[in-house]
C-alpha cells in the first residue's frame, strides 16, 4: 500500500531548530542541552508535535537560530537559498509550516519592509512548490518558567502587533492558511521570554493546532 502521509517541511528560526534535523551552525535545541531546555528529542519540539497531529512526516526543516524573514538580518527566510532547502532527496513538500519573525521584531525591522519581505517569501514558495499547502504562524512570546535566565524581551512582546498584521495580510493575499496564535493572547512556558522549554513546546503546538484555519 502506498504511503499516504503528507511530507511536511518547516521554515523558521531558533524556536524551530533541533540538532541533526536543522542545518548545523544555526542550532539552539538538541540532546546536549535537554537538561537545560527540557527539549530532549525532536519529538519534544512544537513542529514535530504538529506534524504528528497532522499524520505527516518531516521532509526538511530549514530553520536557523538568529535568522530573520526580512533582509535586516542574516540568512533571511525570504531568500531563494532558504526556500530551496525545503525540498529534500528529490521530493517536494506537501505542506510547509512557517513560524518566523521574532528576530525581525528584536532587530527593529521596519514593519512595512518586514511585510514586503514576508510577501516575497510566500511568492517564492508558491513559485518553487505550487502544489504545497502552506500555514503561516503569527507571533507570540513566552513567560518565564523555572529558569536560570532572566531576559524577558519585553521590547519584543510590546511591539508584535504590526508584524502580526503583516503576516495576516501576507497569508491572506497568498491564499495560504493562518495559524493565528497571537489572537489567543496566551503565552508559552519559556526559559527567557522567547525560547520555549519542554512544556512551552507542548503549549505552542496546541496553540498552532487550535488556531490553524480549515484543518
Amino acid at each position: 500500500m502506498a504511503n499516504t502521509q503528507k511530507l511536511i517541511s518547516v521554515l523558521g528560526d531558533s524556536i524551530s531548530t533541533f540538532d541533526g534535523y536543522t542545518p548545523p551552525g544555526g542550532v539552539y535545541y538538541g540532546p546536549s542541552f535537554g537538561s537545560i531546555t527540557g527539549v530532549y528529542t525532536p519529538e519534544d519540539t512544537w513542529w514535530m508535535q504538529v506534524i504528528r497531529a497532522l499524520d505527516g512526516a518531516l521532509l526538511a526543516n530549514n530553520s536557523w537560530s538568529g535568522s530573520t524573514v526580512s533582509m535586516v538580518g542574516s540568512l533571511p527566510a525570504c531568500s531563494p537559498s532558504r526556500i530551496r532547502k525545503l525540498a529534500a532527496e528529490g521530493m517536494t513538500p506537501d505542506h510547509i509550516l512557517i513560524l518566523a519573525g521574532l528576530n525581525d521584531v528584536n532587530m527593529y525591522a521596519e514593519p512595512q519592509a518586514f511585510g514586503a519581505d514576508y510577501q516575497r517569501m510566500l511568492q517564492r514558495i508558491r513559485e518553487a512548490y505550487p502544489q504545497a499547502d502552506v500555514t503561516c504562524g503569527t507571533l507570540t512570546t513566552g513567560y518565564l518558567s523555572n529558569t536560570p535566565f532572566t531576559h524577558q524581551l519585553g521590547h519584543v512582546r510590546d511591539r508584535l502587533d504590526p508584524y502580526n498584521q503583516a503576516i495576516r495580510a501576507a497569508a491572506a493575499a497568498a491564499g495560504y492558511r493562518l495559524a493565528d496564535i497571537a489572537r489567543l493572547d496566551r503565552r508559552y512556558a519559556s526559559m527567557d521570554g522567547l525560547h520555549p522549554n519542554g512544556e512551552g513546546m507542548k503549549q505552542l503546538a496546541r496553540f498552532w493546532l487550535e488556531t490553524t484555519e480549515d484543518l
Side-chain angles (χ1 to χ4, degrees):
M1 182 178 295
N3 188 346
T4 59
Q5 280 189 311
K6 290 183 179 180
L7 296 176
I8 302 179
S9 292
V10 182
L11 184 61
D13 50 34
S14 59
I15 291 172
S16 302
T17 62
F18 198 86
D19 192 22
Y21 287 75
T22 54
V27 174
Y28 187 89
Y29 293 96
S32 300
F33 319 118
S35 61
I36 297 173
T37 65
V39 182
Y40 294 90
T41 76
E43 300 296 327
D44 297 325
T45 64
W46 77 268
W47 45 272
M48 192 64 85
Q49 292 177 60
V50 169
I51 288 171
R52 298 302 187 215
L54 297 176
D55 193 27
L58 176 68
L59 176 61
N61 185 333
N62 194 257
S63 297
W64 281 80
S65 182
S67 69
T68 57
V69 169
S70 65
M71 301 301 292
V72 71
S74 60
L75 298 167
C78 69
S79 67
S81 63
R82 293 285 302 278
I83 292 166
R84 280 197 301 271
K85 293 175 183 176
L86 296 175
E89 300 178 358
M91 295 180 287
T92 59
D94 300 310
H95 195 160
I96 299 169
L97 312 179
I98 304 172
L99 184 59
L102 285 174
N103 288 315
D104 298 82
V105 185
N106 190 37
M107 294 180 185
Y108 291 87
E110 199 279 319
Q112 186 172 357
F114 169 81
D117 283 332
Y118 204 103
Q119 290 184 35
R120 185 173 295 110
M121 174 181 69
L122 297 186
Q123 290 167 359
R124 287 173 172 165
I125 286 173
R126 184 179 296 284
E127 291 167 2
Y129 313 110
Q131 303 304 315
D133 190 6
V134 177
T135 303
C136 305
T138 55
L139 309 171
T140 189
T141 55
Y143 60 86
L144 297 179
S145 176
N146 299 324
T147 171
F149 301 100
T150 58
H151 184 40
Q152 298 187 50
L153 295 173
H155 69 290
V156 172
R157 183 176 61 248
D158 295 340
R159 296 186 301 107
L160 288 177
D161 187 62
Y163 299 88
N164 282 328
Q165 294 291 6
I167 293 170
R168 293 179 183 115
Y176 287 149
R177 300 186 191 195
L178 186 70
D180 200 354
I181 297 168
R183 73 172 172 79
L184 296 177
D185 196 25
R186 299 206 298 261
R187 299 177 189 169
Y188 50 80
S190 75
M191 297 173 290
D192 56 6
L194 178 60
H195 296 93
N197 59 19
E199 179 58 29
M201 287 289 189
K202 294 176 185 176
Q203 292 168 323
L204 190 53
R206 288 198 299 268
F207 297 167
W208 184 281
L209 293 167
E210 182 177 340
T211 58
T212 297
E213 298 169 334
D214 301 321
L215 269 179

